[in-house]
Amino acid sequence: MNYKKPRDQKDVMQLVKEHDIKFIRLWFTDILGQLKSFAITVEELEVAFTEGMGFDGSSIKGFARIDESDMIARPDPTTFAILSWRPTDKAVARMFCDIYEPDGTPYKGDPRYILKLNLEKAAKKGYTFYLGPELEYFYFRSDRNTEILDEGGYFDYPMDAAEDLRRDTILSLEQLGIKVEYSHHEVAPSQHEIDLRYADALTMADIVMTYRVIVKEVAKQHGVYATFMPKPLFGENGSGMHTHQSLFKGDKNAFFDPKDPYYLSELAKSYIAGLLTHIKEITLVLNQWVNSYKRLVPGYEAPVYICWARKNRSALIRVPLYKPGKEKATRIELRSPDPACNPYLAFASMLKAGLTGVEKKYKLPEPIEKDVYHLSHDERNDLGIDSLPGSLIEAIEYAEKSSILKEAFGEHIFTNLIESKKKEWDDYRIRVFPYEIDRYLPIL
């Protein structure tokens, strides 16, 4: 379904008439990046634009207390899209919303607003933040077990049981105006990846949320289940969200320097140094679940060690090799995030860490082109290579002391995020798992 991307309320009202839209789904996220949605009829659309739609925020994770629960959702007309998996007769569209207090002030617990604030700060310095994430995921027979669809591996074709699922997913993404670079089977059995063409950070955060919905909806149509759980299979690679990123000034890539041996500007080097310096503090945001740390272990292609490189994929940050004439493609790739994060907060924290390095002129250490996984502990120490947090509670402890995270998110989201993650850790650590019964019951 082809239609021009709307610019304002007037464009949306015209598209609604042209395409016989009956329902509009209003989307936003809680602080953990879980999509929230409610539907209005087209007759309420003008009210939604002018006044916003009220809802109870006390039931949304990390939103208002029960004594200050009234919230207003106001749709962003530029995010209007007709949902490709819904019936075309009396069709359904969606728009992302910005959340407001009843007095009209932006709600400080809205992750989309937090990303906007950080992007505005970057814009005042002349920067536009671009990202291109690679989201990996698994297909299983159902959401109750991890029965795989195939035994395929990286780029496998004959053993790829989900070629049609990926094709239909890409078609659905493109119908919503989301550009895809390529797709393929990933390393683990039944694991897949669809790579998105780069966009500005706010657009990309909205795209990531939409991507996750479409992957799941198309899977449901095919009678299977798609999951972005970071590590669903023991002994296999987990799912990451390698995030390519760059800063532009106008139409020029601020990361590119033709005279540098690595083709990296001093700004790019300080940005990388900022990420390396503050990565432990922001890991809670990039890898926010207990299960995330089952992925971040040596030996399964997930980055664990804090260093950068050009060719070495065991490094936390990789700088893809420069191709002559492709200055705009100069970028860095942060390899630690997983696809179950909140993209609004994840992108905001990456930008904050990187720009802190730029503002304070951090010096970038030399790249590590050795396979870090095969270095001994002493060899890594000699090279000054540190490690990411090894568990959720360790990540919480680093985040809790982080001034840059608190500054990026504000008091409300910072406090609620820490509190929520502590509750998750407490819930996890008091449970008894089958491993413990199998291992200890016969001997203790």
Side-chain angles (χ1 to χ4, degrees), residues 43 108 117 134 164 176 214 267 422:
E43 288 79 14
K108 294 180 176 61
L117 280 182
E134 303 170 352
D164 290 346
L176 270 73
I214 290 177
L267 179 142
K422 283 183 174 179

Side-chain angles (χ1 to χ4, degrees), residues 253-269 322 327-328 330-331:
N253 190 338
F255 277 10
F256 178 71
D257 183 351
K259 298 177 182 179
D260 184 76
Y262 305 129
Y263 299 98
L264 291 174
S265 66
E266 289 304 312
L267 179 142
K269 292 177 182 178
Y322 166 68
E327 290 83 2
K328 289 189 175 182
T330 301
R331 63 198 187 277

Side-chain angles (χ1 to χ4, degrees), residues 281-282 285 349 352 399 402-410 414:
E281 302 165 53
I282 69 172
V285 186
S349 66
K352 179 64 177 177
S402 174
S403 59
I404 71 156
L405 209 55
K406 191 170 185 178
E407 186 179 337
F409 292 172
F414 179 81

